[in-house]
Amino acid sequence: MSNGSAIRSVMLFAVLLAPLTHALAENMQWVTTDRTDRRTCPSTKCGVAGHLMFREGADVLETKNGWSRITKAYSASCEGGKSEYVKEGNSACTSANGIQNGKFAEWVQNGDLSPNRPEDPRQGATGDYSLVSGSDDFRLYKDQFAKAARQLINDGTCTEGDFKEMGGWMASTNRGKGMYFTYCGGMTLSNKVYLDSNSGKVNR
């Protein structure tokens, strides 16, 4: 192939790719609520496969009745008629739950999304707030997170380095709403420290 032909081929590829790239950018939506459920079908009666957090982005592939599909269909990992990927609610491997031929796609409510990404509440964080600025739900509990971090550092349970490494507090999926955890001194279960954001209490 001559240099001229090669250049024309590259230019043609760029022209063909441009609309696709533009379309993908246009389809990107951002979470505007504290978190939104990723469900197995476009209904609140369907199972929850996980969550998207505030300011997380998702590529919207389809919209239907106030819902957006954000993934292609993938294996539901059905065992005994139930999906191992459903974390909350209906886990039945049925078409009514959005699971067909052992697969489902994820849906989120349109009302929790926006084409404009919200401002980052972590921007400009200083002092103890900067130690926990990577926490889940930072904008909601930044005061509790920073106070608990300082308490753990002062009593020798954690170091500033621990919080810098972890980024802060992560939402606990098995201890219920308002519970968060971090690791201090290692990444084993014995190094796990929990925080109740409602009471401010920390424990192992």
Side-chain angles (χ1 to χ4, degrees):
M1 181 184 291
S2 68
N3 287 342
S5 297
I7 292 171
R8 282 193 295 274
S9 295
V10 170
M11 289 177 66
L12 177 61
F13 179 74
V15 169
L16 293 172
L17 184 62
L20 175 61
T21 304
H22 182 64
L24 288 174
E26 281 190 340
N27 290 337
M28 181 62 73
Q29 298 278 314
W30 306 92
V31 179
T32 58
T33 55
D34 298 323
R35 67 185 68 191
T36 187
D37 295 331
R38 295 163 24 218
R39 294 189 180 270
T40 56
C41 78
S43 167
T44 55
K45 295 180 180 179
C46 295
V48 177
H51 309 280
L52 287 178
M53 309 298 287
F54 178 67
R55 294 189 81 246
E56 277 196 82
D59 189 24
V60 174
L61 306 177
E62 173 188 2
T63 58
K64 180 192 294 184
N65 300 326
W67 291 79
S68 292
R69 180 168 61 85
I70 60 170
T71 71
K72 294 180 179 180
Y74 64 90
S75 173
S77 189
C78 292
E79 290 289 338
K82 294 186 176 183
S83 171
E84 294 184 350
Y85 287 143
V86 172
K87 306 292 190 295
E88 301 170 20
N90 188 358
S91 62
C93 286
T94 62
S95 57
N97 197 30
I99 301 176
Q100 300 183 47
N101 300 319
K103 294 183 177 182
F104 71 89
E106 296 180 5
W107 296 78
V108 298
Q109 296 189 70
N110 289 349
D112 293 343
L113 301 174
S114 169
N116 302 311
R117 195 176 193 187
E119 260 185 57
D120 187 355
R122 300 169 173 84
Q123 193 170 357
T126 60
D128 289 345
Y129 290 95
S130 67
L131 295 177
V132 296
S133 63
S135 301
D136 292 339
D137 300 324
F138 175 75
R139 72 173 182 150
L140 293 179
Y141 303 117
K142 60 183 179 181
D143 292 335
Q144 294 94 316
F145 291 159
K147 183 178 179 180
R150 178 48 55 187
Q151 175 187 330
L152 290 167
I153 292 168
N154 287 346
D155 69 19
T157 302
C158 305
T159 65
E160 289 191 2
D162 289 324
F163 283 101
K164 287 178 181 177
E165 182 179 356
M166 295 303 302
W169 298 90
M170 291 157 282
S172 173
T173 57
N174 58 1
R175 292 213 175 186
K177 191 174 181 180
M179 293 298 295
Y180 297 82
F181 70 90
T182 192
Y183 289 93
C184 292
M187 297 291 288
T188 66
L189 282 177
S190 63
N191 300 115
K192 209 170 188 179
V193 181
Y194 288 92
L195 165 66
D196 184 335
S197 62
N198 297 309
S199 67
K201 292 182 178 179
V202 293
N203 61 73
R204 292 194 184 272

mmCIF file of all heavy atoms in Angstrom, residues 70-95:
data_model
loop_
_atom_site.group_PDB
_atom_site.id
_atom_site.type_symbol
_atom_site.label_atom_id
_atom_site.label_comp_id
_atom_site.label_asym_id
_atom_site.label_seq_id
_atom_site.Cartn_x
_atom_site.Cartn_y
_atom_site.Cartn_z
ATOM 1 N N ILE A 70 -27.823 -0.151 31.371
ATOM 2 C CA ILE A 70 -26.432 0.303 31.389
ATOM 3 C C ILE A 70 -25.417 -0.808 31.106
ATOM 4 O O ILE A 70 -24.216 -0.560 31.100
ATOM 5 C CB ILE A 70 -26.087 0.973 32.731
ATOM 6 C CG1 ILE A 70 -26.275 -0.008 33.906
ATOM 7 C CG2 ILE A 70 -26.936 2.226 32.939
ATOM 8 C CD1 ILE A 70 -25.720 0.501 35.224
ATOM 9 N N THR A 71 -25.886 -2.034 30.882
ATOM 10 C CA THR A 71 -24.977 -3.123 30.505
ATOM 11 C C THR A 71 -25.627 -3.979 29.430
ATOM 12 O O THR A 71 -26.848 -3.939 29.236
ATOM 13 C CB THR A 71 -24.637 -4.063 31.694
ATOM 14 O OG1 THR A 71 -25.801 -4.844 32.024
ATOM 15 C CG2 THR A 71 -24.154 -3.280 32.905
ATOM 16 N N LYS A 72 -24.811 -4.763 28.753
ATOM 17 C CA LYS A 72 -25.323 -5.811 27.888
ATOM 18 C C LYS A 72 -25.702 -6.988 28.779
ATOM 19 O O LYS A 72 -25.316 -7.050 29.942
ATOM 20 C CB LYS A 72 -24.257 -6.224 26.875
ATOM 21 C CG LYS A 72 -23.911 -5.135 25.880
ATOM 22 C CD LYS A 72 -22.856 -5.609 24.893
ATOM 23 C CE LYS A 72 -22.524 -4.527 23.877
ATOM 24 N NZ LYS A 72 -21.493 -4.970 22.909
ATOM 25 N N ALA A 73 -26.454 -7.928 28.234
ATOM 26 C CA ALA A 73 -26.841 -9.107 29.008
ATOM 27 C C ALA A 73 -25.608 -9.951 29.330
ATOM 28 O O ALA A 73 -24.726 -10.129 28.494
ATOM 29 C CB ALA A 73 -27.851 -9.935 28.224
ATOM 30 N N TYR A 74 -25.541 -10.426 30.561
ATOM 31 C CA TYR A 74 -24.445 -11.301 30.965
ATOM 32 C C TYR A 74 -24.979 -12.397 31.883
ATOM 33 O O TYR A 74 -26.124 -12.326 32.355
ATOM 34 C CB TYR A 74 -23.315 -10.518 31.626
ATOM 35 C CG TYR A 74 -23.676 -9.824 32.932
ATOM 36 C CD1 TYR A 74 -23.525 -10.474 34.160
ATOM 37 C CD2 TYR A 74 -24.139 -8.517 32.943
ATOM 38 C CE1 TYR A 74 -23.827 -9.847 35.347
ATOM 39 C CE2 TYR A 74 -24.441 -7.871 34.133
ATOM 40 C CZ TYR A 74 -24.284 -8.544 35.342
ATOM 41 O OH TYR A 74 -24.601 -7.915 36.521
ATOM 42 N N SER A 75 -24.169 -13.402 32.154
ATOM 43 C CA SER A 75 -24.604 -14.559 32.926
ATOM 44 C C SER A 75 -25.091 -14.158 34.315
ATOM 45 O O SER A 75 -24.431 -13.397 35.024
ATOM 46 C CB SER A 75 -23.461 -15.560 33.076
ATOM 47 O OG SER A 75 -23.829 -16.605 33.962
ATOM 48 N N ALA A 76 -26.259 -14.693 34.690
ATOM 49 C CA ALA A 76 -26.824 -14.427 36.011
ATOM 50 C C ALA A 76 -26.291 -15.394 37.057
ATOM 51 O O ALA A 76 -26.593 -15.258 38.242
ATOM 52 C CB ALA A 76 -28.350 -14.531 35.957
ATOM 53 N N SER A 77 -25.493 -16.365 36.611
ATOM 54 C CA SER A 77 -24.941 -17.383 37.514
ATOM 55 C C SER A 77 -26.055 -18.010 38.367
ATOM 56 O O SER A 77 -26.048 -17.929 39.587
ATOM 57 C CB SER A 77 -23.861 -16.756 38.408
ATOM 58 O OG SER A 77 -23.171 -17.756 39.141
ATOM 59 N N CYS A 78 -27.005 -18.622 37.676
ATOM 60 C CA CYS A 78 -28.157 -19.214 38.353
ATOM 61 C C CYS A 78 -27.821 -20.570 38.972
ATOM 62 O O CYS A 78 -27.276 -21.448 38.310
ATOM 63 C CB CYS A 78 -29.312 -19.377 37.363
ATOM 64 S SG CYS A 78 -30.007 -17.817 36.797
ATOM 65 N N GLU A 79 -28.113 -20.695 40.236
ATOM 66 C CA GLU A 79 -27.946 -21.965 40.959
ATOM 67 C C GLU A 79 -29.202 -22.202 41.776
ATOM 68 O O GLU A 79 -29.608 -21.341 42.564
ATOM 69 C CB GLU A 79 -26.734 -21.900 41.896
ATOM 70 C CG GLU A 79 -25.382 -21.868 41.194
ATOM 71 C CD GLU A 79 -25.023 -23.193 40.538
ATOM 72 O OE1 GLU A 79 -25.584 -24.228 40.956
ATOM 73 O OE2 GLU A 79 -24.214 -23.185 39.592
ATOM 74 N N GLY A 80 -29.837 -23.358 41.573
ATOM 75 C CA GLY A 80 -31.055 -23.664 42.312
ATOM 76 C C GLY A 80 -32.177 -22.682 42.026
ATOM 77 O O GLY A 80 -33.001 -22.394 42.895
ATOM 78 N N GLY A 81 -32.197 -22.151 40.792
ATOM 79 C CA GLY A 81 -33.259 -21.227 40.410
ATOM 80 C C GLY A 81 -33.071 -19.803 40.891
ATOM 81 O O GLY A 81 -33.958 -18.968 40.729
ATOM 82 N N LYS A 82 -31.901 -19.516 41.489
ATOM 83 C CA LYS A 82 -31.636 -18.160 41.975
ATOM 84 C C LYS A 82 -30.298 -17.646 41.460
ATOM 85 O O LYS A 82 -29.360 -18.420 41.276
ATOM 86 C CB LYS A 82 -31.651 -18.134 43.501
ATOM 87 C CG LYS A 82 -33.019 -18.431 44.101
ATOM 88 C CD LYS A 82 -33.024 -18.256 45.607
ATOM 89 C CE LYS A 82 -34.423 -18.467 46.169
ATOM 90 N NZ LYS A 82 -34.481 -18.227 47.632
ATOM 91 N N SER A 83 -30.228 -16.339 41.238
ATOM 92 C CA SER A 83 -28.997 -15.725 40.738
ATOM 93 C C SER A 83 -28.049 -15.406 41.885
ATOM 94 O O SER A 83 -28.440 -14.772 42.869
ATOM 95 C CB SER A 83 -29.311 -14.432 39.979
ATOM 96 O OG SER A 83 -28.111 -13.732 39.682
ATOM 97 N N GLU A 84 -26.808 -15.844 41.733
ATOM 98 C CA GLU A 84 -25.806 -15.562 42.755
ATOM 99 C C GLU A 84 -25.340 -14.107 42.710
ATOM 100 O O GLU A 84 -24.685 -13.632 43.632
ATOM 101 C CB GLU A 84 -24.604 -16.500 42.573
ATOM 102 C CG GLU A 84 -24.929 -17.958 42.837
ATOM 103 C CD GLU A 84 -23.703 -18.859 42.747
ATOM 104 O OE1 GLU A 84 -22.654 -18.368 42.289
ATOM 105 O OE2 GLU A 84 -23.812 -20.035 43.137
ATOM 106 N N TYR A 85 -25.694 -13.389 41.631
ATOM 107 C CA TYR A 85 -25.262 -11.999 41.492
ATOM 108 C C TYR A 85 -26.233 -11.003 42.121
ATOM 109 O O TYR A 85 -25.904 -9.830 42.270
ATOM 110 C CB TYR A 85 -25.060 -11.642 40.016
ATOM 111 C CG TYR A 85 -23.827 -12.273 39.417
ATOM 112 C CD1 TYR A 85 -23.827 -12.727 38.102
ATOM 113 C CD2 TYR A 85 -22.667 -12.425 40.162
ATOM 114 C CE1 TYR A 85 -22.695 -13.305 37.545
ATOM 115 C CE2 TYR A 85 -21.540 -13.004 39.622
ATOM 116 C CZ TYR A 85 -21.552 -13.447 38.310
ATOM 117 O OH TYR A 85 -20.427 -14.020 37.766
ATOM 118 N N VAL A 86 -27.429 -11.447 42.467
ATOM 119 C CA VAL A 86 -28.392 -10.540 43.095
ATOM 120 C C VAL A 86 -28.052 -10.397 44.574
ATOM 121 O O VAL A 86 -27.994 -11.369 45.313
ATOM 122 C CB VAL A 86 -29.835 -11.052 42.921
ATOM 123 C CG1 VAL A 86 -30.804 -10.214 43.745
ATOM 124 C CG2 VAL A 86 -30.228 -11.026 41.446
ATOM 125 N N LYS A 87 -27.821 -9.155 44.987
ATOM 126 C CA LYS A 87 -27.400 -8.879 46.371
ATOM 127 C C LYS A 87 -28.589 -8.596 47.292
ATOM 128 O O LYS A 87 -28.546 -8.854 48.481
ATOM 129 C CB LYS A 87 -26.459 -7.661 46.409
ATOM 130 C CG LYS A 87 -25.245 -7.776 45.486
ATOM 131 C CD LYS A 87 -24.283 -8.845 45.953
ATOM 132 C CE LYS A 87 -22.973 -8.811 45.189
ATOM 133 N NZ LYS A 87 -23.078 -9.132 43.760
ATOM 134 N N GLU A 88 -29.656 -8.024 46.714
ATOM 135 C CA GLU A 88 -30.833 -7.662 47.513
ATOM 136 C C GLU A 88 -32.096 -7.946 46.711
ATOM 137 O O GLU A 88 -32.097 -7.877 45.483
ATOM 138 C CB GLU A 88 -30.824 -6.166 47.864
ATOM 139 C CG GLU A 88 -29.612 -5.703 48.638
ATOM 140 C CD GLU A 88 -29.551 -4.185 48.728
ATOM 141 O OE1 GLU A 88 -30.613 -3.533 48.532
ATOM 142 O OE2 GLU A 88 -28.462 -3.639 48.965
ATOM 143 N N GLY A 89 -33.181 -8.276 47.413
ATOM 144 C CA GLY A 89 -34.477 -8.434 46.760
ATOM 145 C C GLY A 89 -34.623 -9.717 45.966
ATOM 146 O O GLY A 89 -34.013 -10.747 46.283
ATOM 147 N N ASN A 90 -35.414 -9.663 44.916
ATOM 148 C CA ASN A 90 -35.783 -10.821 44.114
ATOM 149 C C ASN A 90 -34.577 -11.417 43.384
ATOM 150 O O ASN A 90 -33.974 -10.771 42.544
ATOM 151 C CB ASN A 90 -36.853 -10.401 43.106
ATOM 152 C CG ASN A 90 -37.447 -11.581 42.362
ATOM 153 O OD1 ASN A 90 -37.062 -12.719 42.554
ATOM 154 N ND2 ASN A 90 -38.400 -11.283 41.495
ATOM 155 N N SER A 91 -34.230 -12.641 43.695
ATOM 156 C CA SER A 91 -33.086 -13.294 43.048
ATOM 157 C C SER A 91 -33.513 -14.438 42.130
ATOM 158 O O SER A 91 -32.679 -15.179 41.618
ATOM 159 C CB SER A 91 -32.114 -13.831 44.111
ATOM 160 O OG SER A 91 -32.757 -14.810 44.926
ATOM 161 N N ALA A 92 -34.837 -14.585 41.923
ATOM 162 C CA ALA A 92 -35.352 -15.684 41.094
ATOM 163 C C ALA A 92 -34.891 -15.551 39.648
ATOM 164 O O ALA A 92 -34.918 -14.475 39.063
ATOM 165 C CB ALA A 92 -36.878 -15.707 41.152
ATOM 166 N N CYS A 93 -34.450 -16.662 39.086
ATOM 167 C CA CYS A 93 -34.019 -16.681 37.682
ATOM 168 C C CYS A 93 -35.232 -16.885 36.783
ATOM 169 O O CYS A 93 -35.440 -17.955 36.199
ATOM 170 C CB CYS A 93 -32.985 -17.783 37.467
ATOM 171 S SG CYS A 93 -31.370 -17.383 38.152
ATOM 172 N N THR A 94 -36.045 -15.828 36.707
ATOM 173 C CA THR A 94 -37.269 -15.869 35.903
ATOM 174 C C THR A 94 -37.308 -14.657 34.974
ATOM 175 O O THR A 94 -36.662 -13.636 35.238
ATOM 176 C CB THR A 94 -38.513 -15.836 36.805
ATOM 177 O OG1 THR A 94 -38.530 -14.607 37.549
ATOM 178 C CG2 THR A 94 -38.514 -17.014 37.777
ATOM 179 N N SER A 95 -38.107 -14.770 33.921
ATOM 180 C CA SER A 95 -38.228 -13.657 32.979
ATOM 181 C C SER A 95 -38.871 -12.447 33.644
ATOM 182 O O SER A 95 -38.584 -11.300 33.286
ATOM 183 C CB SER A 95 -39.038 -14.088 31.753
ATOM 184 O OG SER A 95 -40.316 -14.563 32.137
#
